[in-house]
Amino acid sequence: AVIDMENMDDTSGSSFEDMGEMHQRMKEEEEEEAEGEAGAGEEEDGEFLGMKGLRGQLGRQVADQMWQVGKRQASRAFSLYANIDILRPYFDVEPVQVRARLLESMIPVKMINFPQKIAGELYGPLMLVFTLVAILLHGMKTSDTIIREGTLMGTAIGTCFGYWLGVSSFMYFLAYLCNAQITMVQMLSLLGYGLFGHCITLFVTYNIHFHSLFYIFWLVVGGLSTLRMVAVLVSRTVGHTQRLILCGTLAALHMLFLLYLHFAYHKVVEGILDTLEGPNMPPFQRVARDIPVVSNAVLNTTAKAIALTL
């Protein structure tokens, strides 16, 4: 009996130990499953954070690119404003000053020993060039010139601006060779205000068609504006030969340009239009005309031949 109890105790003890081991294993398996689920969750979170990080980098790149584009546009706008600001002093002038300079452009001043002052502004000359363009277009309408394809504003603008800029550049180069004390802006201003006489002469002679009146205005008004420019250039040039070359060239170009605008401009423009568009043909009209004798004979012969064949 004692042995049986000992055996029973041994078996019961072993069974309790087996139950404890099984319970411990079950706990370990549950912990491993929990750790596996936690690891899977962390991997999924890592993948999600990776996508978020990629999207964040793309967003930052797009924002940086937009910032760079905006910065470039702002710098361009600022540079354009700076360039306009450079030109602002040349157009900052009062209307009273422009009116005084227009009157001064018709009054020659005999002052050779001291350089005469030249207004370094371009507002007045630019307005005079546009006024000359308008006068040329008005002259095209009031003259006998046949106008086609609009008012030919492009030709007038090209002629006036071409003379102003071209002759000013040529005279500035010649003044540089003759060692005259004048800048390009001053030359543009001087020649631009010199066109005031041309505007007066052409405006009067386009409305009053008398050649004698034109010659009087050409000599008096055009001559006064030319003498004003010559006096300024003489005061800023040293040497008789240099003065003669510079002033003679300017006077010849200025006076001949006025003759060209009055006499040859419209004919030249009409010739250019005829060359580009063909001659100005009158519109087609149906008129009754007599049939020539040769045509009658041809018709009679044709009618006889048809009658014989029939």
Side-chain angles (χ1 to χ4, degrees):
V2 174
I3 294 172
D4 292 332
M5 290 295 291
E6 288 176 358
N7 289 335
M8 290 177 65
D9 292 336
D10 290 337
T11 54
S12 64
S14 62
S15 63
F16 281 117
E17 288 176 0
D18 292 334
M19 289 294 292
E21 289 177 1
M22 289 176 64
H23 185 67
Q24 184 68 27
R25 287 176 183 175
M26 289 176 65
K27 283 185 177 181
E28 289 177 358
E29 288 176 359
E30 289 176 0
E31 289 176 359
E32 287 177 0
E33 288 177 0
E35 288 176 1
E37 290 177 359
E42 288 177 0
E43 289 178 0
E44 290 178 0
D45 292 337
E47 291 177 358
F48 180 70
L49 289 174
M51 290 297 295
K52 285 180 107 178
L54 182 61
R55 291 177 182 175
Q57 289 179 0
L58 289 174
R60 283 195 296 270
Q61 289 179 359
V62 172
D64 291 339
Q65 189 174 4
M66 292 178 65
W67 169 258
Q68 293 295 332
V69 171
K71 186 177 179 181
R72 284 196 297 268
Q73 291 179 353
S75 62
R76 288 177 184 174
F78 182 76
S79 62
L80 179 62
Y81 180 78
N83 293 331
I84 294 175
D85 197 49
I86 291 173
L87 297 175
R88 184 176 297 172
Y90 302 110
F91 294 90
D92 188 10
V93 61
E94 297 294 332
V96 178
Q97 295 176 344
V98 175
R99 184 179 61 187
R101 287 165 185 171
L102 288 175
L103 295 176
E104 289 175 358
S105 66
M106 302 296 298
I107 303 173
V109 179
K110 187 178 179 181
M111 186 173 59
I112 300 175
N113 298 326
F114 188 77
Q116 296 186 22
K117 185 179 179 181
I118 302 176
E121 54 96 3
L122 300 177
Y123 176 78
L126 190 64
M127 293 300 104
L128 281 172
V129 173
F130 280 117
T131 303
L132 186 60
V133 170
I135 292 172
L136 288 179
L137 297 178
H138 174 69
M140 293 284 287
K141 292 180 179 180
T142 57
S143 65
D144 296 332
T145 304
I146 299 173
I147 301 174
R148 298 185 302 277
E149 301 295 331
T151 57
L152 306 175
M153 184 177 291
T155 307
I157 290 176
T159 302
C160 297
F161 275 91
Y163 172 79
W164 182 43
L165 299 175
V167 175
S168 296
S169 302
F170 176 71
M171 292 306 302
Y172 174 71
F173 175 71
L174 197 61
Y176 175 77
L177 295 179
C178 295
N179 198 18
Q181 300 176 1
I182 191 169
T183 63
M184 184 63 189
V185 176
Q186 290 176 340
M187 182 60 73
L188 286 170
S189 179
L190 183 65
L191 188 64
Y193 277 110
L195 292 174
F196 183 56
H198 287 38
C199 292
I200 295 175
T201 303
L202 292 176
F203 182 74
V204 173
T205 55
Y206 279 160
N207 293 298
I208 304 174
H209 302 283
F210 291 110
H211 290 295
S212 58
L213 181 65
F214 167 75
Y215 287 120
I216 292 172
F217 272 80
W218 178 67
L219 288 174
V220 176
V221 181
L224 287 176
S225 63
T226 304
L227 285 177
R228 167 68 180 182
M229 294 190 295
V230 167
V232 173
L233 287 180
V234 166
S235 67
R236 289 177 171 266
T237 309
V238 179
H240 295 288
T241 305
Q242 289 84 353
R243 289 175 177 175
L244 182 62
I245 294 173
L246 191 62
C247 298
T249 304
L250 180 60
L253 291 174
H254 203 62
M255 297 296 285
L256 290 175
F257 181 64
L258 184 54
L259 287 175
Y260 166 77
L261 291 179
H262 185 267
F263 289 107
Y265 173 73
H266 297 166
K267 295 180 181 178
V268 170
V269 172
E270 190 174 3
I272 293 173
L273 287 177
D274 290 339
T275 303
L276 295 177
E277 303 174 2
N280 185 26
M281 300 296 293
F284 181 75
Q285 296 178 355
R286 295 182 178 273
V287 293
R289 295 183 181 181
D290 296 334
I291 300 176
V293 179
V294 178
S295 301
N296 289 330
V298 171
L299 290 175
N300 292 332
T301 306
T302 305
K304 289 179 181 179
I306 293 172
L308 291 173
T309 54
L310 292 175

